[in-house]
């Protein structure tokens, strides 16, 4: 009985997690109708951020333009970013 | 006695940090804004019935000098509260400060960065990429962590690193380093030379690499390792594994973490959970006390759960069971950490 309940609970959690992962993760700002398209460089920068930096951590809550250069230079050395990665991620974090 | 040690340690660390900040301030006043980052954490553990508590502050200082030079430093000040005699005696505490790295990087071009000073020994990936307390999915380091990083996990010398080949679908990264023997307290390092090379497929979130080190102290020894990282983009899965071999012993660890949503900051309660599991095996060779390796074969598994709160606060807890001929043990861990990042001083240009 307990085993069945545990299996059921596990299944519910699994299905719930897949649903949560699959749902579009819109932030409050993104629910507003978009009037302008994102710049391609920013899209590519976001992609590079996810591929490189996102392997260990999420984007910081907020970064002021003053902090961005130091952060990206730090991560270029730490995370072995290429010059192109650095340029695009810089554009993504400080458009 | 304890307070005297604490006071001395804090004063030393404070002077070191103030000196670094001052140098960075003077050097960068006309150029870029340095940042102060890092984390504060409180760790609790119970290993085989012996409780310990560790308050930790782990600051990171980054000071760019134009486009080519960066000074980076990371250290920690931590307390270690424990019961004398394991779990029966009165509580005691020791405090210590460590300097993990203090390095000057010269970004020569797209393919080469030259680093001098004290840096994290680039053997496999755990030490460089996963060890910070705000990144590690599980609090405890793998058993084989000290293979390739023994003495202090840091090296004093010079290092070359970068991306050797950069293509749209794959890159090859590398590091090569030499380190000198240092016995100064808090700055210990071994005499060694080595390197690492990795192949990264960004679109698949897959990386595989290998490490080699020639430890040049004592009788000298060859140490080798390999690692794999797989983080497929469509699902929030994170799989990492390492293998390391030395005359003292060899072993591997395999860790998997699954975020219950692709974006942990959606506000959904489930999106903030991340279950983690790790299995590891260690096989004894001819370990010496300097190896810091177990004196018997060890099998261990750990399961844990991370919970990401808003404002860069993270809670995590884990349970592990260790099986060894030297004695089995239950290992419980708990941690709360806060990740911070701000400019090293107010003002400056935007």
């Amino acid at each position: 009985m307990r085993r069945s309940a545990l299996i059921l609970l596990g299944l519910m959690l699994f299905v719930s997690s897949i649903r949560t992962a699959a749902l579009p993760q819109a932030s409050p700002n993104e629910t507003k109708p978009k009037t302008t398209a994102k710049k391609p460089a920013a899209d590519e920068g976001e992609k590079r951020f996810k591929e490189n930096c996102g392997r260990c951590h999420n984007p910081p809550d907020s970064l002021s333009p003053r902090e961005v250069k130091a952060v990206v230079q730090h991560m270029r050395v730490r995370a072995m970013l290429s010059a192109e990665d650095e340029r695009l991620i810089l554009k993504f974090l400080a458009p | 006695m304890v307070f005297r040690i604490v006071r001395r340690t804090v004063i030393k660390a404070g002077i070191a940090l103030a000196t670094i900040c001052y140098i960075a301030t003077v050097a960068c006043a006309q150029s870029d804004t340095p940042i102060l980052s890092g984390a504060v954490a409180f760790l609790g553990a119970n290993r085989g019935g012996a409780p310990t508590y560790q308050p930790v502050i782990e600051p990171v200082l980054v000071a760019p000098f134009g486009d080519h030079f960066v000074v980076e430093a990371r250290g920690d000040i931590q307390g270690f509260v424990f019961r004398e005699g394991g779990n029966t005696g009165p509580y005691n505490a020791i405090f210590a400060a460590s300097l993990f790295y203090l390095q000057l990087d010269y970004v020569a071009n797209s393919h080469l960065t030259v680093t001098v000073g004290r840096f994290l020994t680039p053997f496999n990936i755990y030490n460089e990429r996963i060890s910070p307390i705000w990144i590690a999915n599980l609090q405890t380091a793998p058993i084989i962590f000290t293979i390739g990083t023994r003495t202090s996990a840091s090296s004093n010398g010079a290092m070359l690193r970068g991306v050797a080949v950069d293509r749209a679908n794959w890159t090859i990264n590398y590091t090569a380093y030499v380190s000198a023997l240092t016995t100064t307290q808090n700055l210990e390092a071994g005499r060694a030379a080595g390197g690492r090379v990795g192949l990264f497929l960004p679109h698949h979130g897959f990386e595989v690499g290998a490490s080699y080190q020639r430890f040049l102290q004592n009788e000298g020894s060859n140490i080798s390792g390999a690692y794999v990282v797989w983080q497929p983009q469509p699902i929030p899965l994170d799989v990492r594994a390492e293998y390391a071999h030395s005359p003292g012993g060899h072993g591997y660890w395999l860790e998997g973490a699954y975020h219950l949503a692709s974006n942990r900051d959606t506000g959904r309660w489930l999106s903030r959970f991340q279950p983690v599991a790790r299995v590891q095996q260690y096989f004894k060779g001819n370990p010496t006390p300097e190896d810091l390796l177990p004196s018997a074969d060890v099998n261990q598994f750990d399961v844990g759960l991370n919970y990401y709160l808003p404002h860069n606060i993270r809670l995590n807890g884990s349970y592990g069971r260790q099986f060894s001929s030297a004695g089995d043990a239950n290992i419980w861990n708990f941690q709360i950490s806060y990740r911070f990042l701000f400019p090293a001083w107010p003002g400056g240009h935007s």
Side-chain angles (χ1 to χ4, degrees):
Chain A
M1 181 66 187
R2 188 191 286 175
R3 198 175 163 193
S4 305
L6 277 174
I7 291 170
L8 191 64
L9 184 66
L11 270 173
M12 283 167 65
L13 258 177
F14 180 67
V15 171
S16 175
S17 69
I18 286 175
R19 280 194 59 204
T20 312
L23 280 170
Q25 312 291 344
S27 68
N29 292 335
E30 285 171 337
T31 55
K32 294 173 189 169
K34 285 180 182 174
T35 51
T36 54
K38 260 186 175 179
K39 290 177 184 170
D43 283 346
E44 184 61 23
E46 186 175 4
K47 187 167 155 256
R48 302 271 178 128
F49 183 95
K50 280 182 182 165
E51 287 173 355
N52 293 281
C53 317
R55 297 202 286 161
C56 294
H57 59 83
N58 259 9
D61 275 355
S62 62
L63 268 183
S64 74
R66 292 176 55 213
E67 299 160 346
V68 169
K69 188 177 177 189
V71 168
V72 176
Q73 279 192 315
H74 177 56
M75 292 320 297
R76 176 169 182 182
V77 177
R78 300 269 125 216
M80 307 259 227
L81 302 180
S82 66
E84 183 69 355
D85 290 336
E86 183 189 16
R87 190 181 65 79
L88 291 165
I89 292 169
L90 200 58
K91 280 202 168 175
F92 164 59
L93 293 173
Chain B
M1 180 63 184
V2 170
F3 287 107
R4 203 176 301 159
I5 295 168
V6 174
R7 197 175 57 188
R8 211 177 298 154
T9 307
V10 170
I11 288 171
K12 275 184 187 173
I15 290 171
L17 196 62
T19 308
I20 293 166
C21 285
Y22 175 74
I23 293 168
T25 305
V26 171
C28 296
Q30 298 303 318
S31 57
D32 306 294
T33 304
I35 55 165
L36 193 57
S37 177
V40 287
F42 183 83
L43 292 69
N46 190 307
R47 189 183 182 89
T52 56
Y53 307 96
Q54 287 175 268
V56 184
I57 179 164
E58 196 170 311
V60 176
L61 179 78
V62 181
F65 295 69
D67 291 333
H68 291 283
F69 289 95
V70 187
V71 170
E72 304 174 281
R74 188 176 110 211
D76 77 357
I77 301 169
Q78 65 171 284
F80 188 72
V81 182
F82 60 99
R83 293 189 78 164
E84 289 175 5
N87 56 5
T88 54
Y91 279 98
N92 203 343
I94 52 175
F95 286 79
S98 314
L99 182 65
F100 300 132
Y101 59 82
L102 173 54
Q103 63 190 65
L104 171 67
D105 306 313
Y106 170 59
V107 182
N109 57 46
S110 296
H111 306 291
L112 175 66
T113 297
V114 181
T115 294
V116 292
R118 181 171 175 80
F119 50 87
L120 294 175
T121 305
F123 185 85
N124 281 347
I125 53 166
Y126 190 89
N127 191 32
E128 274 199 323
R129 298 190 199 169
I130 309 171
S131 62
I133 51 176
W134 59 93
I135 289 178
N137 286 329
L138 291 166
Q139 251 183 57
T140 50
I143 298 163
I144 59 166
F145 172 64
T146 58
I147 296 178
T149 61
R150 66 179 171 179
T151 64
S152 64
S154 298
S155 296
N156 296 333
M159 170 170 62
L160 305 178
R161 61 192 290 139
V163 178
V165 183
D166 182 16
R167 299 282 182 270
N169 295 326
W170 56 280
T171 62
I172 292 179
N173 58 65
Y174 71 94
T175 65
Y177 65 96
V178 290
S179 173
L181 170 66
T182 311
T183 54
T184 307
Q185 195 181 4
N186 294 332
L187 295 175
E188 291 90 350
R191 181 180 295 129
R196 183 185 68 204
V197 64
L199 169 67
F200 177 43
L201 311 177
H203 302 328
H204 298 91
F206 182 81
E207 183 173 350
V208 60
S211 303
Y212 170 76
Q213 183 189 77
R214 175 71 183 167
F215 199 67
L216 299 164
Q217 283 177 225
N218 309 332
E219 74 285 356
S221 56
N222 294 315
I223 298 158
S224 55
Y227 68 90
V228 175
V229 181
W230 184 47
Q231 289 150 323
Q233 289 288 332
I235 49 172
L237 177 69
D238 181 357
V239 179
R240 296 170 172 141
E242 277 188 356
Y243 169 80
H245 181 277
S246 75
H250 66 106
Y252 71 88
W253 59 266
L254 169 66
E255 183 182 295
Y258 182 74
H259 223 108
L260 296 187
S262 57
N263 184 344
R264 71 186 67 160
D265 292 323
T266 59
R268 297 171 202 277
W269 67 274
L270 198 60
S271 72
R272 298 182 180 280
F273 279 105
Q274 184 187 37
V276 188
R278 180 166 72 195
V279 291
Q280 50 185 331
Q281 281 193 294
Y282 165 75
F283 306 98
K284 180 176 83 80
N286 299 305
T288 60
E290 294 85 41
D291 287 333
L292 303 171
L293 287 166
S295 56
D297 292 357
V298 179
N299 296 325
Q300 185 174 327
F301 75 84
D302 297 270
V303 288
L305 192 63
N306 291 326
Y307 187 71
Y308 292 84
L309 288 157
H311 308 298
N312 298 315
I313 296 171
R314 186 175 74 160
L315 300 172
N316 60 34
S318 68
Y319 166 75
R321 177 75 178 165
Q322 189 174 84
F323 304 94
S324 165
S325 57
D328 298 347
N330 291 321
I331 302 163
W332 294 92
N333 285 293
F334 168 77
Q335 175 182 302
I336 179 167
S337 62
Y338 167 63
R339 173 101 164 91
F340 59 85
L341 189 154
F342 48 83
W345 67 81
H349 53 190
S350 57

